[in-house]
Amino acid sequence: MTNLVDFRIALFPGDGIGNEITAPTVRLLDKIAARVGGFSFTWQHCDAGADCYLDQGTALPARSFRSAAAADAILLAAMGLPTVRYPDGREVTPQIDLRMELGLYAGVRPVKPIPGVRPLLADARAHNIDYVILRESTEGLFAPQAPGIRDGDREARETMVITRATCEKLFDFALNLAAERGQQRKVTSVDKANVFIAFSLWREILMERAANHPDVTADCAYVDAFAMTMVQKPWVIDVAVTENMFGDILSDLGAALMGGMGYAPSADIGDDHAVFQPCHGSAPDIAGKGLANPTAMILSAAMMLEWLGKKHQLNDVTKAGAILRRAVEMAFVGGDLVTRELGGNAGTDTVFAAVENALERIDA
Ligand code: ATP
């Protein structure tokens, strides 16, 4: 009989729709663990976010941070509210604080539309795209070492930070990812090296690291041209590695190409820790109405299973991730399940029920 492995997961429901998509995702994960067998979860509920800031005066209490740092993985729904801000006007963003504090430099944002979800691009070649935007997530224009400076109402400045230490790890991650995916085996730097010197260092380091990976090619694109490529011929993209702010913007474009924010999962991965969370925010405009599409959250949970399985070399956990992914695909195949953001009437409960139903039809 296989020994039971229990994973301690720090769970951050956060704000707005985060609260609505967390509990059913946990239910799906417990269900799949029971079905596949060999592993289970202990859930540690962690307070953080805008509501937490209003209640407790901090957006990321020390106790929540300690739980996150000690956990096997972190599952986060959505945080922040446009109306809740620090005195200097910035929104509270504890999800960014977690990335900085835990060194989660590799923001993995897959762009892979689900068959059956109405594609945004007309060209049939765009319907089967499968690429990854790898967003550097600890420095660039979000670097904590370079807080913006404001001189009254006359001037304000921000600084972009690119370091060798982070670039080396990020590019190794990108090159390994391209090799593991085994598709085009290509890493594309998405930058603005024709304007900013930070990106000439960035490009140099990519080419140095790529020299150690003769099985993967590396090339470079300017971010403006790359945005067009994402729309005009996305099938040429494999792994696109980019600076923090560019990655923030391009991953929303990627989400749109998959059907909307409710379809885009992500993982923020470091050497020792990882956070899994949908790309979307707390969507206060639809919170509390049962309209949130939970697909991105469910697919982020599948990424968590795959990461845990790979890290601990537990094939059953990796398999559970693939089963969850398959259940999502089965729920949407045929095109009858249409979420509210695409003009249908499938809200949160309907999508969860369809995925749960598909899960029951899959042989574990
Ligand atoms: P953040 O900056 O925190 O990422 P944001 O300001 O980009 O957040 P979101 O909260 O992601 O904004 O919302 C952007 C739009 O997408 C809103 O119209 C919102 O209703 C919609 N949206 C976001 N998530 C979902 C979802 N899961 N299902 C349906 N619509 C969503």
Side-chain angles (χ1 to χ4, degrees), residues 106-250:
V108 180
R109 277 115 191 267
V111 181
K112 186 179 180 198
I114 301 169
V117 175
R118 181 163 49 81
L120 194 82
L121 297 176
D123 192 315
R125 287 172 293 178
H127 300 171
N128 301 315
I129 52 174
D130 175 359
Y131 63 86
V132 176
I133 294 176
L134 187 63
R135 168 188 176 182
E136 196 294 309
S137 298
T138 57
E139 44 190 45
L141 267 169
F142 285 58
Q145 313 92 301
I149 300 170
R150 182 168 164 170
D151 178 5
D153 59 2
R154 289 193 313 119
E155 188 176 312
R157 291 170 186 238
E158 314 280 353
T159 307
M160 177 159 58
V161 176
I162 298 291
T163 68
R164 169 170 285 277
T166 298
C167 282
E168 287 184 352
K169 291 198 287 188
L170 179 75
F171 296 143
D172 286 350
F173 188 103
L175 292 156
N176 288 331
L177 181 62
E180 273 165 30
R181 283 164 50 80
Q183 298 191 13
Q184 299 175 54
R185 294 178 177 276
K186 182 173 73 170
V187 171
T188 302
S189 162
V190 178
D191 57 52
K192 195 72 183 165
N194 49 342
V195 176
F196 298 105
I197 56 166
F199 287 120
S200 56
L201 174 64
W202 162 282
R203 280 191 176 191
E204 271 167 42
I205 300 170
L206 172 60
M207 293 309 159
E208 280 170 32
R209 304 312 279 189
N212 301 327
H213 270 268
D215 54 328
V216 177
T217 57
D219 62 9
C220 301
Y222 296 134
V223 62
D224 38 352
F226 186 81
M228 281 182 59
T229 301
M230 283 179 68
V231 174
Q232 288 183 328
K233 44 174 182 164
W235 48 88
V236 304
I237 309 169
D238 186 5
V239 174
V241 61
T242 189
E243 178 276 326
N244 208 342
M245 177 76 152
F246 294 166
D248 188 28
I249 298 165
L250 294 177

Side-chain angles (χ1 to χ4, degrees), residues 17 21 79-80 82 91 93 95 248 252 260-263 278-286 291-296 340-341:
I17 61 168
I21 57 178
M79 287 193 191
E91 258 188 60
T93 49
Q95 68 278 29
D248 188 28
D252 271 26
M261 293 308 295
Y263 290 97
C279 287
H280 61 73
S282 60
D285 53 333
I286 57 166
L291 305 181
N293 176 2
T295 308
R340 302 292 292 238
E341 74 237 83

